[in-house]
């Protein structure tokens, strides 16, 4: 009882948080969300394959408030038209991430994840074909699947697609990621996980915001370029490319890291991909 009483006295004696403290906490939470989305869009996310499932990637819609509602009975699915590969559902290498509950600009999408994967993949493939220079092959990174396609990560209502752009002596990573825009998210360079790498931003004709940037090549040769669009409809699209590669790391051997030539795609080309009309969570 004495311990409880002492804790109560301490709580009463402690000054209430100031406006500055509250603002700092809000900003820190917002920054963590951006960094999680950025990490999920990059090449360093550790994923392990679960048991093989259907091309839908997920067995069904998420349950509970904020989840994905099933379509009406008899509604068709575009999955077959997207020629999706049967793959394993990616799961985190550690404990599963909790479902994020932050407020978003719009109500969360109600599209089934398998339909979203198919719809966005049908947009992605021609969008890359129109931008990636001739002679640079576009290879998917999902084991057993040559073509690039989207995957759904349910804890952040997040769709992402990864590809390697390859030709002799070149192997760039490319990631396209879509996530609901948070209600308290800033715009432009302030919305970047690393605002210091942002080199410019502008308003788009539809009312959305574009931000873009690149890292300066370090001594090790790492270079990354990116473009992020906060669409007026409440979707955030992030496109990144880099030259970072991880080799080995299996059977107990430590991984090795290497860096290729500077990425081929320019910020302007990444912007062309990020502003593709069909990249939306609200079709």
């Amino acid at each position: 009882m004495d311990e409880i009483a002492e804790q109560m006295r301490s709580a009463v004696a402690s000054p209430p948080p100031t406006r500055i403290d509250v603002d700092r906490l809000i900003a820190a939470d917002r920054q963590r969300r951006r960094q999680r989305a950025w990490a999920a869009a990059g090449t360093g996310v550790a994923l392990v394959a679960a048991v093989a499932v259907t091309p839908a990637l997920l067995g069904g819609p998420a349950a509970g408030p904020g989840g994905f509602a099933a379509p009406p009975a008899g509604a068709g699915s575009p999955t077959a038209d997207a020629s999706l590969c049967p793959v394993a559902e990616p799961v985190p290498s550690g404990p599963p991430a909790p479902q994020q509950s932050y407020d978003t600009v719009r109500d969360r999408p109600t599209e089934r994840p398998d339909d979203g994967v198919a719809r966005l993949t049908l947009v992605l493939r021609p969008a890359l074909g129109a931008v990636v220079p001739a002679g640079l092959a576009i290879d998917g990174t999902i084991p057993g699947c040559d073509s690039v396609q989207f995957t759904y990560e349910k804890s952040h209502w997040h769709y992402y697609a990864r590809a390697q752009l390859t030709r002799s002596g070149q192997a760039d990573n490319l990631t396209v990621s879509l996530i609901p825009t948070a209600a308290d998210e800033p715009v432009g360079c302030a919305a970047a996980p690393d605002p210091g790498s942002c080199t410019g931003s502008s308003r788009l004709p539809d009312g959305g915001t574009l931000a873009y940037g690149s890292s300066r090549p370090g001594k090790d040769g790492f270079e990354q370029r990116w473009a992020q669009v906060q669409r007026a409809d409440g979707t955030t699209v992030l496109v990144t490319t880099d030259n970072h590669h991880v080799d080995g790391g299996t059977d107990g051997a430590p991984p090795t890291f290497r860096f290729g030539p500077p990425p081929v795609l320019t910020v302007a080309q990444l912007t062309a991909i990020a502003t593709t009309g069909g990249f939306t969570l609200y079709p």
Side-chain angles (χ1 to χ4, degrees):
M1 292 294 294
D2 292 342
E3 182 179 353
I4 295 175
E6 180 61 29
Q7 290 176 350
M8 293 178 64
R9 284 194 296 270
S10 298
V12 172
S14 299
T18 65
R19 180 69 254 177
I20 294 176
D21 292 334
V22 173
D23 290 343
R24 187 180 296 115
L25 290 172
I26 293 173
D29 178 69
R30 183 187 299 124
Q31 181 75 358
R32 283 193 295 270
R33 286 202 305 267
R34 290 199 297 271
Q35 289 173 340
R36 283 195 294 267
W38 186 277
T43 58
V45 177
L47 299 174
V48 295
V51 179
V53 295
T54 65
L57 301 182
L58 293 173
F68 287 80
S77 170
T79 301
D81 296 334
S83 302
L84 297 181
C85 297
V87 298
E89 178 184 349
V91 296
S93 56
Q99 189 79 22
Q100 298 300 303
S101 58
Y102 61 88
D103 292 334
T104 51
V105 172
R106 290 181 59 178
D107 291 340
R108 300 192 190 281
T110 57
E111 183 179 33
R112 289 178 60 97
D114 52 351
D115 289 344
V117 165
R119 175 181 59 81
L120 293 170
T121 297
L122 284 170
V123 175
L124 173 67
R125 291 172 180 172
L128 295 183
V131 172
V132 174
L136 202 64
I138 306 171
D139 300 314
T141 62
I142 297 174
C145 187
D146 294 334
S147 299
V148 60
Q149 69 183 49
F150 272 94
T151 296
Y152 176 67
E153 190 273 304
K154 62 184 178 182
S155 68
H156 290 90
W157 294 275
H158 172 210
Y159 290 89
Y160 64 90
R162 297 193 181 101
Q164 272 208 332
L165 309 181
T166 59
R167 67 183 176 194
S168 179
Q170 190 83 32
D172 299 344
N173 301 303
L174 177 71
T175 302
V176 180
S177 176
L178 285 79
I179 194 170
T181 304
D184 62 350
E185 195 72 11
V187 297
C189 286
D194 179 17
S197 71
C198 186
T199 56
S201 66
S202 62
R203 298 289 292 182
L204 298 173
D206 66 354
T209 304
L210 165 69
Y212 50 88
S214 60
S215 64
R216 295 181 179 179
K219 294 180 180 178
D220 53 12
F222 173 73
E223 188 169 352
Q224 183 183 63
R225 300 168 189 161
W226 58 273
Q228 179 173 278
V229 170
Q230 292 169 290
R231 293 173 56 105
D233 68 5
T235 304
T236 293
V237 184
L238 174 65
V239 183
T240 67
T241 186
D242 65 64
N243 61 349
H244 175 227
H245 304 283
V246 182
D247 299 322
T250 58
D251 299 326
T256 59
F257 304 93
R258 61 183 176 86
F259 304 93
V264 171
L265 294 187
T266 64
V267 168
Q269 289 170 318
L270 299 179
T271 298
I273 298 171
T275 53
T276 299
F279 284 149
T280 176
L281 298 176
Y282 306 94

